[in-house]
């Protein structure tokens, strides 16, 4: 198959990114959609900040996490990382510097260790184990007969939704990227597991850029900036405390929880 999204003829290779991400008047519509998912989206994410995206289902939150690594290309406007359009980067170079954990996790056929190593193939079992511990999955792995060498089946058929999410989080943490995208990454975890995983993610991503899509208040409350969406557009932005004082959409969202 010929991919629609490829590297340019003279690509820029991303090295040691700072994590500065700029959305400049981005408009996007899926081929199957009749209306824009994002409309004139204009945001700058400064390096080292944690940004949370909040809003009802279908307002474009997950789309943003797919546009940054060029799973899709914008219809209008541009996305820049460290001052360069993402379309100018070598695709592999771009994606190698981004960690991405989705709600619908893809687990590859192979062992648990294989799946964590996809984050960074230069194998070091001690680092794999450390990442698994931080993702709160190590104890479960050690209950299996073959431990990290356990085969998980196509798409992780032998694992629960929460176990698959934690392996995906371990994969991203082992990669140790400068930019981390978390799209409902802890939605299948119980409250205590989520708390432990969130603390580990926050510690690993200190000084790095992270963009979080979540519905649980506990996941977003400590974000530097919370962006509230409605029909593909930004309606509010600020810290948790600032948005509560505005008594708008975010305050309503919090009251529902």
């Amino acid at each position: 198959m010929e991919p629609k999204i490829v590297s340019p003829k003279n690509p820029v290779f991303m090295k040691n990114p700072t994590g500065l991400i700029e959305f400049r008047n981005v408009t996007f519509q899926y081929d199957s959609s009749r209306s824009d998912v994002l409309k004139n989206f204009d945001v700058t994410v400064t390096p080292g900040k944690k940004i949370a995206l909040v809003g009802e289902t279908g307002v474009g939150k997950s789309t943003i996490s797919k546009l940054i690594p060029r799973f899709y290309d914008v219809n209008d406007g541009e996305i820049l990382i460290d001052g360069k359009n993402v379309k100018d980067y070598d695709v592999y170079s771009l994606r190698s510097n981004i960690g991405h954990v989705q709600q619908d996790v893809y687990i590859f056929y192979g062992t648990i260790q294989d799946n964590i190593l996809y984050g960074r193939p230069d194998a070091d079992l001690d680092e794999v184990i450390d990442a698994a511990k931080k993702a709160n999955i190590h104890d479960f792995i050690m209950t299996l007969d073959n431990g990290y060498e356990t085969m998980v089946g196509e798409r992780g058929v032998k694992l629960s939704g929460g176990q698959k999410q934690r392996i995906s989080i371990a994969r991203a943490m082992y990669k140790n990227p400068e930019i981390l995208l978390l799209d409902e990454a802890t939605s299948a975890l119980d409250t205590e597991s989520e708390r432990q995983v969130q603390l580990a993610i926050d510690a690993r991503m200190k000084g790095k850029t992270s963009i979080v899509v979540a519905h649980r208040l506990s996941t977003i409350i400590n974000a530097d900036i919370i962006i509230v969406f409605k029909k593909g557009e930004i309606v509010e932005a600020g810290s948790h405390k600032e948005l509560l004082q505005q008594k708008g959409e975010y305050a309503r969202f919090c009251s529902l929880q």
Side-chain angles (χ1 to χ4, degrees), residues 5 12 17 24-25 56 72-73 86 101 106 108 116 121 129-131 158 161 171 174 177 203-205 210 216 221 248:
I5 295 176
V12 175
R24 295 182 179 175
N25 298 315
E56 296 174 353
Y72 298 94
D73 276 337
V86 291
V101 183
Y106 197 97
F108 298 92
I116 297 175
I129 292 172
D130 180 59
K158 297 180 181 180
R171 181 193 295 164
Y174 177 69
R204 176 59 70 94
M205 293 305 294
S210 57
R216 288 183 186 173
I221 194 170

Short mmCIF file of all heavy atoms in Angstrom, two decimals, residues 5 12 17 24-25 56 72-73 86 101 106 108 116 121 129-131 158 161 171 174 177 203-205 210 216 221 248:
data_model
loop_
_atom_site.label_atom_id
_atom_site.label_comp_id
_atom_site.label_asym_id
_atom_site.label_seq_id
_atom_site.Cartn_x
_atom_site.Cartn_y
_atom_site.Cartn_z
N ILE A 5 0.39 9.85 3.56
CA ILE A 5 1.26 10.80 4.26
C ILE A 5 2.69 10.28 4.23
O ILE A 5 3.00 9.22 4.78
CB ILE A 5 0.78 11.00 5.70
CG1 ILE A 5 -0.60 11.67 5.69
CG2 ILE A 5 1.78 11.84 6.50
CD1 ILE A 5 -1.22 11.84 7.04
N VAL A 12 13.44 17.52 6.96
CA VAL A 12 14.19 17.96 8.14
C VAL A 12 14.12 16.82 9.15
O VAL A 12 13.06 16.24 9.37
CB VAL A 12 13.56 19.23 8.74
CG1 VAL A 12 14.27 19.62 10.03
CG2 VAL A 12 13.61 20.38 7.73
N PRO A 17 14.20 17.80 20.26
CA PRO A 17 13.14 18.82 20.25
C PRO A 17 12.92 19.43 21.63
O PRO A 17 13.12 18.77 22.65
CB PRO A 17 11.90 18.02 19.81
CG PRO A 17 12.20 16.61 20.24
CD PRO A 17 13.68 16.44 20.05
N ARG A 24 -1.67 26.90 14.23
CA ARG A 24 -1.98 28.20 13.66
C ARG A 24 -3.19 28.09 12.75
O ARG A 24 -3.13 27.58 11.64
CB ARG A 24 -0.78 28.73 12.87
CG ARG A 24 0.44 29.02 13.74
CD ARG A 24 1.60 29.59 12.94
NE ARG A 24 2.76 29.89 13.77
CZ ARG A 24 3.93 30.31 13.29
NH1 ARG A 24 4.09 30.49 11.98
NH2 ARG A 24 4.95 30.55 14.11
N ASN A 25 -4.34 28.54 13.29
CA ASN A 25 -5.60 28.57 12.53
C ASN A 25 -5.89 27.24 11.84
O ASN A 25 -6.22 27.18 10.64
CB ASN A 25 -5.57 29.70 11.49
CG ASN A 25 -5.44 31.06 12.15
OD1 ASN A 25 -6.11 31.36 13.13
ND2 ASN A 25 -4.54 31.88 11.62
N GLU A 56 -17.16 17.60 25.28
CA GLU A 56 -18.01 16.45 25.01
C GLU A 56 -17.43 15.60 23.89
O GLU A 56 -16.54 16.02 23.15
CB GLU A 56 -19.42 16.94 24.62
CG GLU A 56 -20.13 17.70 25.76
CD GLU A 56 -21.45 18.29 25.33
OE1 GLU A 56 -21.76 18.23 24.11
OE2 GLU A 56 -22.17 18.80 26.20
N TYR A 72 -3.02 12.22 10.28
CA TYR A 72 -3.82 12.96 9.30
C TYR A 72 -3.13 14.29 9.07
O TYR A 72 -2.38 14.76 9.92
CB TYR A 72 -5.25 13.21 9.80
CG TYR A 72 -6.05 11.96 10.07
CD1 TYR A 72 -6.11 11.41 11.35
CD2 TYR A 72 -6.78 11.34 9.06
CE1 TYR A 72 -6.84 10.27 11.62
CE2 TYR A 72 -7.53 10.20 9.32
CZ TYR A 72 -7.55 9.67 10.60
OH TYR A 72 -8.28 8.54 10.85
N ASP A 73 -3.41 14.92 7.94
CA ASP A 73 -2.91 16.26 7.67
C ASP A 73 -4.04 17.27 7.75
O ASP A 73 -5.20 16.96 7.38
CB ASP A 73 -2.25 16.33 6.28
CG ASP A 73 -0.80 15.88 6.31
OD1 ASP A 73 -0.17 15.92 7.39
OD2 ASP A 73 -0.28 15.46 5.25
N VAL A 86 5.15 20.50 10.69
CA VAL A 86 5.31 19.04 10.82
C VAL A 86 5.44 18.36 9.46
O VAL A 86 6.03 17.28 9.34
CB VAL A 86 4.15 18.41 11.62
CG1 VAL A 86 4.21 18.82 13.09
CG2 VAL A 86 2.79 18.73 11.01
N VAL A 101 -0.25 7.37 23.50
CA VAL A 101 -1.04 6.31 24.13
C VAL A 101 -2.51 6.62 23.86
O VAL A 101 -3.02 7.66 24.27
CB VAL A 101 -0.80 6.23 25.65
CG1 VAL A 101 -1.60 5.06 26.24
CG2 VAL A 101 0.68 6.05 25.94
N TYR A 106 -3.24 -0.61 20.63
CA TYR A 106 -2.88 -1.70 19.73
C TYR A 106 -1.73 -2.49 20.34
O TYR A 106 -0.65 -1.96 20.57
CB TYR A 106 -2.47 -1.20 18.34
CG TYR A 106 -2.52 -2.31 17.32
CD1 TYR A 106 -3.63 -2.47 16.50
CD2 TYR A 106 -1.49 -3.24 17.22
CE1 TYR A 106 -3.70 -3.51 15.59
CE2 TYR A 106 -1.55 -4.28 16.32
CZ TYR A 106 -2.66 -4.42 15.51
OH TYR A 106 -2.73 -5.47 14.63
N PHE A 108 0.65 -5.70 19.67
CA PHE A 108 1.11 -6.51 18.54
C PHE A 108 1.27 -7.98 18.95
O PHE A 108 1.50 -8.29 20.12
CB PHE A 108 2.46 -5.98 18.03
CG PHE A 108 2.39 -4.59 17.50
CD1 PHE A 108 2.66 -3.50 18.33
CD2 PHE A 108 2.05 -4.34 16.19
CE1 PHE A 108 2.59 -2.20 17.86
CE2 PHE A 108 1.99 -3.05 15.69
CZ PHE A 108 2.26 -1.99 16.52
N ILE A 116 6.59 -3.75 24.76
CA ILE A 116 7.17 -2.59 25.44
C ILE A 116 8.38 -2.07 24.66
O ILE A 116 8.59 -0.87 24.52
CB ILE A 116 7.55 -2.93 26.89
CG1 ILE A 116 6.29 -3.30 27.68
CG2 ILE A 116 8.27 -1.75 27.56
CD1 ILE A 116 6.55 -3.77 29.10
N PRO A 121 13.66 0.10 20.47
CA PRO A 121 14.12 -1.27 20.27
C PRO A 121 15.50 -1.64 20.82
O PRO A 121 15.82 -2.82 20.91
CB PRO A 121 14.12 -1.41 18.74
CG PRO A 121 13.17 -0.37 18.26
CD PRO A 121 13.35 0.77 19.21
N ILE A 129 11.62 -3.35 32.65
CA ILE A 129 11.01 -3.66 33.95
C ILE A 129 10.67 -2.39 34.71
O ILE A 129 9.61 -2.26 35.32
CB ILE A 129 11.94 -4.57 34.77
CG1 ILE A 129 12.04 -5.95 34.10
CG2 ILE A 129 11.44 -4.71 36.21
CD1 ILE A 129 13.08 -6.86 34.73
N ASP A 130 11.58 -1.41 34.67
CA ASP A 130 11.35 -0.13 35.35
C ASP A 130 10.11 0.56 34.79
O ASP A 130 9.27 1.07 35.54
CB ASP A 130 12.57 0.77 35.19
CG ASP A 130 12.39 2.11 35.89
OD1 ASP A 130 12.17 2.13 37.11
OD2 ASP A 130 12.45 3.15 35.20
N ALA A 131 9.98 0.57 33.45
CA ALA A 131 8.81 1.19 32.81
C ALA A 131 7.54 0.45 33.19
O ALA A 131 6.49 1.07 33.45
CB ALA A 131 8.99 1.20 31.29
N LYS A 158 -5.32 -11.92 24.94
CA LYS A 158 -5.25 -12.57 26.25
C LYS A 158 -5.25 -11.57 27.40
O LYS A 158 -5.17 -11.98 28.57
CB LYS A 158 -4.00 -13.45 26.33
CG LYS A 158 -3.99 -14.60 25.32
CD LYS A 158 -2.72 -15.44 25.47
CE LYS A 158 -2.70 -16.57 24.46
NZ LYS A 158 -1.47 -17.40 24.59
N GLY A 161 -8.67 -4.86 29.03
CA GLY A 161 -8.49 -3.49 28.53
C GLY A 161 -7.51 -2.70 29.37
O GLY A 161 -6.65 -1.99 28.85
N ARG A 171 5.22 1.20 27.33
CA ARG A 171 5.90 1.37 26.04
C ARG A 171 6.28 2.84 25.82
O ARG A 171 7.41 3.16 25.43
CB ARG A 171 4.96 0.90 24.92
CG ARG A 171 5.52 0.99 23.52
CD ARG A 171 4.40 0.79 22.50
NE ARG A 171 3.84 -0.55 22.57
CZ ARG A 171 2.66 -0.88 22.02
NH1 ARG A 171 1.93 0.02 21.41
NH2 ARG A 171 2.22 -2.12 22.11
N TYR A 174 8.99 3.95 28.40
CA TYR A 174 10.30 3.40 28.05
C TYR A 174 10.92 4.21 26.92
O TYR A 174 12.13 4.42 26.87
CB TYR A 174 10.12 1.94 27.64
CG TYR A 174 11.37 1.24 27.18
CD1 TYR A 174 12.39 0.94 28.07
CD2 TYR A 174 11.54 0.87 25.85
CE1 TYR A 174 13.55 0.29 27.65
CE2 TYR A 174 12.68 0.23 25.42
CZ TYR A 174 13.69 -0.07 26.33
OH TYR A 174 14.82 -0.70 25.91
N PRO A 177 9.86 10.08 25.55
CA PRO A 177 9.84 11.11 24.52
C PRO A 177 9.81 12.53 25.09
O PRO A 177 9.49 12.72 26.27
CB PRO A 177 8.53 10.82 23.79
CG PRO A 177 7.63 10.32 24.89
CD PRO A 177 8.53 9.52 25.81
N ALA A 203 5.97 12.41 36.88
CA ALA A 203 7.39 12.45 37.27
C ALA A 203 8.29 12.30 36.03
O ALA A 203 9.28 13.01 35.88
CB ALA A 203 7.68 11.34 38.28
N ARG A 204 7.94 11.35 35.14
CA ARG A 204 8.75 11.11 33.94
C ARG A 204 8.69 12.30 32.97
O ARG A 204 9.67 12.61 32.30
CB ARG A 204 8.27 9.84 33.25
CG ARG A 204 8.97 9.50 31.92
CD ARG A 204 10.46 9.32 32.08
NE ARG A 204 10.82 8.13 32.82
CZ ARG A 204 11.13 6.96 32.25
NH1 ARG A 204 11.13 6.84 30.94
NH2 ARG A 204 11.45 5.93 33.00
N MET A 205 7.53 12.98 32.90
CA MET A 205 7.34 14.05 31.93
C MET A 205 7.65 15.44 32.50
O MET A 205 7.38 16.44 31.84
CB MET A 205 5.90 14.02 31.41
CG MET A 205 5.58 12.80 30.57
SD MET A 205 6.71 12.57 29.16
CE MET A 205 6.30 14.01 28.16
N SER A 210 3.39 17.56 27.45
CA SER A 210 2.38 16.51 27.37
C SER A 210 1.01 17.13 27.08
O SER A 210 0.67 18.19 27.59
CB SER A 210 2.33 15.68 28.65
OG SER A 210 2.10 16.48 29.78
N ARG A 216 -11.93 12.16 33.15
CA ARG A 216 -11.84 12.14 34.62
C ARG A 216 -11.15 13.41 35.13
O ARG A 216 -10.07 13.77 34.68
CB ARG A 216 -11.05 10.91 35.08
CG ARG A 216 -11.80 9.60 34.91
CD ARG A 216 -10.96 8.47 35.46
NE ARG A 216 -11.56 7.18 35.21
CZ ARG A 216 -10.96 6.03 35.47
NH1 ARG A 216 -9.73 6.02 35.99
NH2 ARG A 216 -11.56 4.88 35.23
N ILE A 221 -6.79 17.83 36.54
CA ILE A 221 -6.88 18.91 37.51
C ILE A 221 -5.54 19.63 37.72
O ILE A 221 -5.51 20.82 38.02
CB ILE A 221 -7.43 18.37 38.87
CG1 ILE A 221 -7.85 19.52 39.78
CG2 ILE A 221 -6.41 17.46 39.54
CD1 ILE A 221 -8.61 19.05 41.00
N GLY A 248 -18.27 28.66 33.98
CA GLY A 248 -18.75 28.39 32.63
C GLY A 248 -18.84 26.91 32.34
O GLY A 248 -19.25 26.11 33.19
#
